[in-house]
Each structure stands twice: as C-alpha cells, then as structure tokens.
Amino acid sequence: MAVTHSTDNDYLLPCGRGLEQVWERLDDGDLDPHESSCPHCAAARESLLTLRTATRELIEEPDPPPPDLFGRIMSAVRADVRRGHTLTLDTPHPGAIQVSEQAVAVVLRFAADTVDGVRARGCRVQSSETGEDGEQVIAVNMTIAVRHGGSSIDDIVSVVRARVRAAASARVGVRLGALDLTVVDIYEADR
C-alpha cells in the first residue's frame, strides 16, 4: 500500500517546507542541504523533539491520584447520607426555600478551595438564627490546609474569610455571623 503525502493540511514553515516533512525526517541522522542551513527547520525540529520527549514522559509516568482523593470521596458520600438540619431562606414566600446545613457547608468549602494555596478540610454550620432583618445568620467552623512556602498565613486566612463570607451571601443567601477558621495542616506544593 502506497502512502501519498498531501500538503493540503500540512502547516508550512516560513521557508516553505512543510512541518509534516520535518516530522517524517526527525529520526534521520543526515539532514538535506536545506534542513542543515534553515533556521526555521532547525527550530521546528527542536520543538518536535521536545514535544516527543514530553509526550513519552507523560505516557511512561502516569499521574497518580491526589493523596486526599479517598478522603474527599468519603466526605461526599457521608454528606449524602446525613443531610442534617435545614435553614429556611428569606424569600418573598416565607418557608418556601429550605437548604440543608450540609449543602451550605459544601458551598463554603468550595469558596475556600478557590483561594490559591488552600485546601478546605472540613466545614460545619454550628448554629443559625434569624437576624433582626429576617435574614438567616449562621456561625461556621471551618478547617483548612495551606501550602508551604506560599503567602503568609494571616494573608491567606484573610482572603479565605472574605471568599467564604461572599459565598454565604451571594451563593446561599445567608449572612455569615461567626467564622471559626483553623489551619490544621500544611502541604507541599505539587511538582
């Protein structure tokens, strides 16, 4: 079976040589006169060799699952089993919308996870009450892990507080009264 080369889909280098041609001759030890003197072909060869090396490394070394994957899966399973108490949200129709404390905790954990260098470990709604304006006010206990070598813990905690407070209001529709935030772990940056 003969193979024909079509240049219709071939990316042409500025010198007019097709990238596919450079790829096909990548393993050839001797370069033709054009390839040996052309800077465009030389750059393409180098890029293709780098790409091939990186691809081989990815194939040979599969990415292991994150170390806390099992814990996160089990947390999700446990959350599904025990919904806990519900909060009644302030709406034009009183009592129409109720949300579980566990669902609120998931939203707040996600907000903490969006902070660079932070992994939320646990989150529990400790109490809820109706404020003077009729809005639900909650108290939350949250634990987090921070990445070693990142920003200072004070700066990280400040950003986590702001994101969690914003998520409680904007995403859930409750006001965050107290947030007890505890750093329980430090982890190494992924390499």
Side-chain angles (χ1 to χ4, degrees):
M1 177 174 162
V3 177
T4 58
H5 297 286
S6 169
T7 58
D8 295 342
N9 295 329
D10 198 7
Y11 175 79
L12 294 178
L13 299 172
C15 64
R17 176 85 36 120
L19 187 62
E20 189 70 29
Q21 288 175 292
V22 176
W23 176 260
E24 289 173 356
R25 296 181 44 82
L26 201 57
D27 292 322
D28 290 352
D30 55 329
L31 303 176
D32 66 24
H34 171 85
E35 285 178 334
S36 61
S37 64
C38 176
H40 304 292
C41 289
R45 264 180 94 72
E46 185 177 330
S47 295
L48 289 171
L49 287 168
T50 302
L51 176 65
R52 184 170 66 182
T53 302
T55 303
R56 282 187 181 151
E57 287 175 3
L58 287 173
I59 290 170
E60 293 169 358
E61 188 175 316
D63 193 21
D68 63 340
L69 179 64
F70 180 76
R72 287 183 178 221
I73 291 171
M74 291 311 297
S75 292
V77 169
R78 283 188 217 103
D80 195 46
V81 171
R82 47 162 213 221
R83 291 281 178 212
H85 297 41
T86 60
L87 303 173
T88 303
L89 301 182
D90 183 30
T91 64
H93 307 286
I97 298 181
Q98 293 188 338
V99 62
S100 74
E101 289 178 351
Q102 188 64 33
V104 172
V106 168
V107 171
L108 300 183
R109 278 185 62 179
F110 180 76
D113 278 342
T114 64
V115 176
D116 185 42
V118 172
R119 293 180 183 162
R121 292 291 190 212
C123 182
R124 255 183 15 171
V125 175
Q126 294 294 100
S127 64
S128 67
E129 58 186 48
T130 303
E132 294 175 9
D133 56 358
E135 186 179 30
Q136 282 287 329
V137 180
I138 61 172
V140 172
N141 184 346
M142 179 179 284
T143 57
I144 62 172
V146 296
R147 182 176 57 226
H148 180 265
S151 301
S152 75
I153 291 181
D154 288 340
D155 292 342
I156 290 172
V157 167
S158 177
V159 173
V160 169
R161 283 186 185 284
R163 295 246 178 114
V164 170
R165 190 168 300 286
S169 176
R171 301 276 183 209
V172 181
V174 297
R175 189 171 68 225
L176 184 59
L179 173 59
D180 291 331
L181 192 57
T182 307
V183 177
V184 294
D185 197 7
I186 297 176
Y187 66 92
E188 288 292 324
D190 296 332
R191 295 177 193 197

